[in-house]
Amino acid sequence: MLFFFIVKIDKLVYDDSSSYTYYAVIDYKTGHDVLNLDNIEYGFNLQLPVYLYLISKSNIFENPKLVGLYLQKIRLDDKALGLKGYTVNDID
């Protein structure tokens, strides 16, 4: 059985000026979602990890290296419109 995924990533920031393509995935949120990877093994909160998996299996980037995955609230009444998420600590 063959499955196809069609996804729309809200924002994909990348730098391909070196031998690797460093990238970060950002998902816009209007609600009060919290990025939590604690329950991935149970099948919860899989949206951003699925994006990462699909990018790693695609050919959009040559030598992709993940830099981070983030949520960004976009409601105008939110005081903090910054990114919340995880940054890879091994920048090399």
Side-chain angles (χ1 to χ4, degrees):
M1 186 177 293
L2 186 60
F3 293 97
F4 291 94
F5 281 93
I6 298 174
V7 299
K8 181 181 176 200
I9 298 172
D10 290 331
K11 186 189 286 186
L12 185 60
V13 180
Y14 66 94
D15 176 8
D16 60 359
S17 61
S18 69
S19 59
Y20 293 101
T21 302
Y22 295 97
Y23 72 96
V25 176
I26 301 166
D27 190 50
Y28 298 138
K29 294 297 180 189
T30 58
H32 297 289
D33 291 3
V34 175
L35 185 57
N36 184 342
L37 301 178
D38 293 342
N39 294 315
I40 286 181
E41 64 185 289
Y42 304 111
F44 297 108
N45 304 102
L46 290 176
Q47 183 179 7
L48 289 174
V50 165
Y51 291 166
L52 300 181
Y53 174 77
L54 293 174
I55 290 169
S56 75
K57 296 300 181 188
S58 74
N59 59 358
I60 27 180
F61 296 133
E62 190 170 326
N63 298 320
K65 290 272 190 175
L66 173 66
V67 174
L69 61 151
Y70 308 97
L71 298 180
Q72 182 174 17
K73 294 187 178 189
I74 59 170
R75 288 181 29 193
L76 295 177
D77 61 342
D78 285 332
K79 296 193 189 303
L81 294 175
L83 301 175
K84 294 188 181 192
Y86 296 97
T87 301
V88 175
N89 65 358
D90 180 10
I91 198 66
D92 293 331

